Amino acid sequence: MTAVTGALALVLGVSAAAPAPAALALTEAAGVGAPQQMLIESVHASGKVLEIGNDRAQLTGADNQPAAAAIFARGTNGPDLVAQTITAYPVTGKTATYVFANPEGEVLVRNANESAAPRFLSARTVDIAAAAQDPYAQWVAVDAGSGAVYLHNVQPDGQGRTAALDMYDWKTADTSQIQTYDSGTAAVQKWLLRSVIPEVAVFSGRTDLGAIPVLPSERTARYSWGATAALTSISWNMPAPEVWQSEGTVTVSGTGVGLLGETVPVSAQYVVGSLGDAIPATISGHVGITVKQLRMLEPARVERRVSGSSATVSAPVVWDWTGITDAAAAQPGTFTVPAAASSGFSASLVVTIVATEQVNIARGAGIHFGVLFGEGSALNDGNRDRVGFSDWRSGGAANRVTLNRATYFFDQPQQITGAAVFDRGTDAKLNVGTATVQYRNLTGGWVDLPAKNLTWPYTNATPQLELTVDSEPVLATGARVVITTKSTSTWMSLSEFEVYGPASAPSAR
């Protein structure tokens, strides 16, 4: 077996110097190290913990008495959690080996091999120093993977086998007994050692030179099993007033009271200094992008410098686009947008415009396909000679779909400068009589694409449909083609629906 190496703090992920809950009595004894509090949670019964010496435990054994250890739902309030807390005493000179005791000081001990029930456990009132010399009262934490451990009794049984803490009969109901069984890898022998010492994030703030800040009165403790609790009775150890007279960082420590009544350390760090100008923010776009599109990319916050340090503070900003038109993005280059006076500080937004190339934006990311009726969604696979969509349905000519739509929805607004629709190939039905390409505007309405040298609907006078149009640039949240039949003799199909727009050209290598 592989023992969990290092101190119990490594198993729990907490500092050995962390203070214990005030409601729990700690016993210092010879032969053991600094005691720590924990909840021992079952992997097999998530959310349930081992309790020692609970009189409500399942009656068991020859004398029909409450089991020394049993499983119970983890408490949700301080008193219940304190009652479930286990004190772990690391045995001096041994690796990951502990004596476990309940809040009343009763120690978890395996029955002797020569007893009538050597697999069973007892909760004994025994001196911790004596327990640290008794192999039946010692448990070694063995790595079980994924943060769990097996808890093996140090004393082998009468046949030399290792006995492990085990949820007997795989039962998970409250009060179900916990005994020992031959060590294995089953979930009923896996345990999570949950620290009762919570984590509290360090508070970060800033104050002007010479200004003494008001320390936070609210902090949240986060416990290892997922619970959170607002600390009470928060008290700060304020430093001497002169520390706020120098630029730099000041750390203030304090304490609060946690869910279990424990004293919890808290900390706050303040950057002392005046706020200055903002670090320039940047965005980029392609040639032909509109001011409206660029404003969708503008940051809502910037980082302001703090004097006397490398620290920055995030601040909201409003940008002044007055006088900047679409012509600013007509060619590659850069231009700068200042912060509006209402922001209260100086900031700049550097906009970089790069060269573009025309692409089929229907093949890009964030595109979602839909149809009024039909099957197939391969209208943006780049193959113009194979049917990607058709609207056949049973019922013959009387049940043809005489008007249909194929639609792309965009996750982000896109500029459209043209489109193409194809129905060709040996498997095509060649029954598209008219086609109209539309775009979805920013308010969700559908509008005919402002095509150059073409009036909608386009009438298809040839067997195959091969329609390519250029458009005045429009900003769209979707595109669709509306098609109608030539006749009811067959159904309609499409092989490709392409939507063109500008995208940043690849940089030269």
Side-chain angles (χ1 to χ4, degrees):
M1 64 184 180
T2 303
V4 177
T5 58
L8 182 59
L10 296 180
V11 179
L12 300 177
V14 299
S15 168
L24 299 174
L26 292 180
T27 301
E28 294 186 3
V32 295
Q36 293 184 23
Q37 274 67 46
M38 68 177 74
L39 300 178
I40 300 181
E41 181 177 339
S42 168
V43 169
H44 177 57
S46 179
K48 296 195 173 185
V49 297
L50 176 152
E51 291 191 31
I52 300 172
N54 190 324
D55 291 340
R56 296 188 295 116
Q58 174 186 345
L59 300 181
T60 187
D63 52 1
N64 205 32
Q65 293 296 308
I71 201 76
F72 290 89
R74 185 180 53 234
T76 57
N77 59 53
D80 287 347
L81 288 166
V82 168
Q84 294 177 328
T85 300
I86 303 298
T87 302
Y89 296 88
V91 178
T92 303
K94 293 189 176 182
T95 301
T97 304
Y98 312 98
V99 171
F100 294 134
N102 65 13
E104 289 73 37
E106 294 175 309
V107 172
L108 187 65
V109 181
R110 181 171 74 84
N111 291 351
N113 290 337
E114 58 271 17
S115 69
R119 292 186 183 274
F120 281 36
L121 299 167
S122 299
R124 300 179 188 174
T125 302
V126 60
D127 182 75
I128 298 299
Q133 302 300 317
D134 181 0
Y136 288 101
Q138 297 175 31
W139 304 89
V140 58
V142 177
D143 186 9
S146 302
V149 296
Y150 305 110
L151 293 173
H152 292 169
N153 193 242
V154 169
Q155 175 64 53
D157 69 11
Q159 286 72 45
R161 298 170 300 198
T162 299
L165 279 186
D166 183 287
M167 293 180 63
Y168 246 41
D169 298 326
W170 294 73
K171 292 181 178 179
T172 60
D174 277 11
T175 78
S176 295
Q177 64 180 319
I178 296 170
Q179 304 289 1
T180 68
Y181 200 76
D182 293 348
S183 64
T185 59
V188 290
Q189 293 186 5
K190 293 181 180 180
W191 306 92
L192 296 167
L193 306 184
R194 302 288 200 186
S195 171
V196 300
I197 304 301
E199 293 182 353
V200 182
V202 175
F203 177 83
S204 296
R206 186 202 66 84
T207 188
D208 288 325
L209 192 67
I212 299 177
V214 176
L215 275 293
S217 59
E218 298 180 351
R219 303 304 294 144
T220 299
R222 301 184 182 277
Y223 291 85
S224 60
W225 57 93
T228 60
L231 295 180
T232 60
S233 303
I234 296 176
S235 175
W236 296 97
N237 303 316
M238 288 296 289
E242 52 266 25
V243 304
W244 308 104
Q245 301 297 329
S246 301
E247 293 178 335
T249 301
V250 174
T251 300
V252 184
S253 61
T255 60
V257 177
L259 181 62
L260 285 73
E262 77 276 25
T263 298
V264 179
V266 292
S267 181
Q269 284 189 343
Y270 282 87
V271 177
V272 182
S274 301
L275 283 176
D277 295 339
I279 297 173
T282 61
I283 60 173
S284 63
H286 52 72
V287 169
I289 194 170
T290 65
V291 169
K292 183 178 290 187
Q293 284 177 284
L294 287 170
R295 297 204 64 173
M296 294 177 184
L297 302 175
E298 67 179 23
R301 305 184 71 86
V302 291
E303 294 296 316
R304 296 184 65 182
R305 296 182 176 91
V306 180
S307 63
S309 72
S310 60
T312 61
V313 173
S314 176
V317 65
V318 177
W319 301 105
D320 182 5
W321 291 81
T322 303
I324 299 176
T325 67
D326 292 348
Q331 59 187 9
T334 62
F335 61 90
T336 301
V337 181
S342 60
S343 296
F345 56 90
S346 177
S348 59
L349 174 63
V350 179
V351 182
T352 301
I353 302 300
V354 299
T356 61
E357 62 181 6
Q358 199 78 344
V359 300
N360 177 9
I361 61 178
R363 301 192 70 186
I367 306 297
H368 308 280
F369 179 74
V371 296
L372 181 63
F373 175 82
E375 294 182 349
S377 59
L379 291 183
N380 61 349
D381 64 358
N383 191 336
R384 298 175 177 178
D385 298 315
R386 182 178 61 204
V387 168
F389 161 77
S390 69
D391 60 11
W392 175 89
R393 66 180 176 189
S394 62
N399 202 31
R400 299 289 184 214
V401 178
T402 57
L403 181 147
N404 211 338
R405 297 189 295 265
T407 306
Y408 297 124
F409 294 98
F410 307 155
D411 280 351
Q412 299 291 333
Q414 302 265 13
Q415 189 179 117
I416 295 177
T417 58
V421 189
F422 300 94
D423 180 31
R424 69 189 196 193
T426 57
D427 55 345
K429 302 318 293 181
L430 308 180
N431 195 35
V432 176
T434 68
T436 302
V437 177
Q438 299 179 322
Y439 73 96
R440 186 173 182 262
N441 61 27
L442 297 182
T443 59
W446 288 98
V447 184
D448 288 353
L449 190 69
K452 298 177 181 178
N453 304 317
L454 182 67
T455 301
W456 302 112
Y458 167 78
T459 299
N460 181 30
T462 62
Q464 293 185 336
L465 174 63
E466 298 200 31
L467 169 62
T468 301
V469 296
D470 292 327
S471 165
E472 297 296 335
V474 294
L475 191 58
T477 58
R480 71 183 185 185
V481 58
V482 181
I483 54 177
T484 62
T485 58
K486 290 176 181 175
S487 74
T488 58
S489 62
T490 188
W491 57 91
M492 290 186 288
S493 63
L494 291 174
S495 57
E496 194 78 358
F497 175 29
E498 301 172 359
V499 182
Y500 305 133
S504 299
S507 58
R509 294 185 181 276

